[in-house]
Amino acid sequence: MKTENLFAVPFKPLEAAAGERTAERLRGNWKGQAGHLAGKSLTWKEVRAIPGEPETLRSYLEERIGRLDLTGSGMDVEEARAHILLRDCVDIISTLPASPETRASAYRILASLPAIRAEGEMTDPLGRRGQTLSYQEEIEPGLFSKVRLVVDPSAGLLLAEVRTNTTKLADGRQVELRVSRSFQEIGWTNERPDLPTHRN
C-alpha cells in the first residue's frame, strides 16, 4: 500500500521549521518536524528511514541515545538510557508516522525491557478492551506515575495511555490523579486534512 501520512494525536504541538511562516503552514505547505526521538526532532525523511527489524531498530535507538549527555540528569546513566529507550518505543507506537513494521518492532523491544509488565486485559477510558503493558516512572522527587498502555492485540494499535500519579499531601494522606489519552483512530491515509479557512 502506498501511503503518505499517518494521523494520530501528537504529544507535542507542531512547531514551524526555521524560516517558515505560519501562513505557509495553513496553506498546507508545512515542511517541519515529523516527531521526536531521544529528545531530537526528526524530519519526514528521517522517520521513513527508521529501521523495521527489532534488532536493527534497537541498535538505531541506542545509537541516538548514546549521543546524549546524561551525566546531569540526576539518574544513573544506564538507568536513564533504559528509560529513554522505553519512552522512544512508546513514541514510535503512539505519535510517530512510522511504518507498521517499525511499530511492531517497537512493541517487541518494549516486551523485552525489564521495566515493562504485562497486566492482561483492561478496559480503556472509551470502553474498549485491550491488552495492557505497564511501567512506573518518577516524574519528580516523591511523585510517581504508573503508566498503562492499552493495546488492541488484533491490530497492534495503541488504544490509550493511562497515567496514575501517586503522591503524598502535606498532612500525610496519599492521593492519586489519573490522566488518560485515548486514540480513537490511527492509520494511513492519502487524504489531506481540513485546514482552517482563515487565521485567528
Side-chain angles (χ1 to χ4, degrees):
M1 177 167 52
K2 200 169 185 180
T3 56
E4 293 298 326
N5 303 309
L6 174 74
F7 53 90
V9 180
F11 273 114
K12 300 179 176 93
L14 299 177
E15 299 171 8
E20 180 184 49
R21 295 181 309 217
T22 302
E24 289 174 337
R25 293 170 64 193
L26 295 176
R27 285 199 299 269
N29 294 325
W30 186 64
K31 305 288 184 190
Q33 302 168 356
H36 298 79
L37 280 179
K40 302 287 184 183
S41 62
L42 295 170
T43 65
W44 293 95
K45 184 177 181 180
E46 288 172 327
V47 169
R48 285 194 295 270
I50 296 174
E53 291 296 316
E55 291 168 8
T56 313
L57 175 61
R58 185 165 188 152
S59 295
Y60 166 85
L61 294 173
E62 288 176 344
E63 193 273 332
R64 287 182 68 93
I65 295 166
R67 294 183 212 154
L68 301 175
D69 180 10
L70 302 172
T71 53
S73 66
M75 298 173 68
D76 173 77
V77 171
E78 289 306 312
E79 183 183 347
R81 285 181 179 156
H83 179 72
I84 295 169
L85 176 63
L86 186 156
R87 284 305 311 171
D88 279 354
C89 288
V90 173
D91 285 347
I92 286 172
I93 66 176
S94 62
T95 65
L96 277 182
S99 69
E101 293 79 16
T102 299
R103 288 201 310 273
S105 292
Y107 277 117
R108 289 189 182 98
I109 294 170
L110 278 174
S112 73
L113 299 178
I116 292 287
R117 300 283 180 265
E119 293 196 357
E121 199 171 60
M122 175 179 169
T123 301
D124 82 345
L126 297 181
R128 301 166 298 181
R129 301 292 291 174
Q131 292 297 313
T132 307
L133 301 173
S134 72
Y135 63 95
Q136 183 169 297
E137 61 184 10
E138 188 172 12
I139 306 171
E140 58 185 64
L143 178 60
F144 293 89
S145 181
K146 181 172 183 177
V147 184
R148 290 184 176 93
L149 306 173
V150 187
V151 180
D152 176 356
S154 62
L157 296 176
L158 185 63
L159 298 175
E161 180 184 81
V162 181
R163 288 178 167 268
T164 304
N165 298 335
T166 304
T167 190
K168 283 188 177 179
L169 299 178
D171 62 4
R173 286 182 299 150
Q174 184 169 295
V175 295
E176 290 186 349
L177 174 64
R178 183 170 290 183
V179 179
S180 67
R181 179 175 59 140
S182 297
F183 297 83
Q184 290 185 297
E185 192 172 25
I186 183 170
W188 296 93
T189 181
N190 286 321
E191 297 178 11
R192 288 181 175 272
D194 293 330
L195 296 172
T197 55
H198 64 278
R199 286 183 288 171
N200 294 331

